[in-house]
Amino acid sequence: MTTVIYPGTFDPITNGHLDIIERSAVIFPKVFVAVANSPSKKPLFSLDERIELARQSVAHLANVEVFGFSDLLANVIKARNVAAIIRGVRTTTDFEYELQLASLNRLLTNGVESLFFPPTEKWAFVSSTIVREIYLHGGDVSELVPPAVFNALQERCPK
């Protein structure tokens, strides 16, 4: 069975992330969504909250499993027998950064490849950072995130 991993901070998970997960789930029999702890990024939601929001967002996908991690991604990949890393790339800047990570991950995992997914046009401009900024400044993000995330944002930062 080919298992792939889609790692990220997912603070919060967006419809752009969900689109990549859904597209991956059609191609691969098993997709891990690995939520990185990433304390240096000072996330709005805790690791446990981000894991739960991701689980709620992918509940309709039987072949997707969500878990959190604090370890080096290469160690997670080895421990879970992952065949490839899924990454979304929106811009050339994303691509350059992801290309560096892909090379390092290939080295650290003895050859595990990274597969780059371009965004669906509808979600090409959406990022977690933008969603947080829009929401925290009073904007409507209801069309940019899954319903569970929108509800969590309203509870965390009521307008």
Side-chain angles (χ1 to χ4, degrees), residues 5-105:
I5 191 167
Y6 182 35
T9 306
F10 304 111
D11 185 44
I13 192 166
T14 69
N15 286 341
H17 294 128
L18 188 55
D19 178 64
I20 290 173
I21 295 165
E22 289 171 341
R23 290 162 51 206
S24 298
V26 169
I27 299 168
F28 299 102
K30 184 70 175 178
V31 178
F32 290 137
V33 175
V35 182
N37 191 17
S38 302
S40 62
K41 290 188 175 183
K42 299 183 179 169
L44 179 63
F45 293 102
S46 72
L47 177 60
D48 288 341
E49 289 169 324
R50 288 181 281 129
I51 292 167
E52 183 55 30
L53 290 171
R55 282 187 179 139
Q56 290 176 31
S57 300
V58 302
H60 63 289
L61 301 168
N63 62 330
V64 175
E65 179 183 333
V66 178
F67 62 86
F69 74 102
S70 297
D71 200 357
L72 185 65
L73 178 61
N75 294 339
V76 175
I77 287 167
K78 289 175 188 175
R80 296 198 177 234
N81 199 25
V82 170
I85 305 164
I86 301 295
R87 299 298 295 164
V89 289
R90 293 180 306 256
T91 65
T92 56
T93 303
D94 283 352
F95 180 75
E96 289 177 10
Y97 175 71
E98 292 297 339
L99 191 58
Q100 289 176 334
L101 288 180
S103 297
L104 289 170
N105 281 322

Side-chain angles (χ1 to χ4, degrees), residues 125-159:
F125 61 92
V126 178
S127 72
S128 295
T129 302
I130 288 172
V131 165
R132 285 192 315 269
E133 287 298 314
I134 291 170
Y135 188 80
L136 293 173
H137 287 92
D140 181 9
V141 297
S142 60
E143 292 186 36
L144 305 177
V145 296
V149 172
F150 185 67
N151 293 338
L153 283 167
Q154 289 181 308
E155 289 175 16
R156 172 64 44 93
C157 310
K159 292 183 182 180

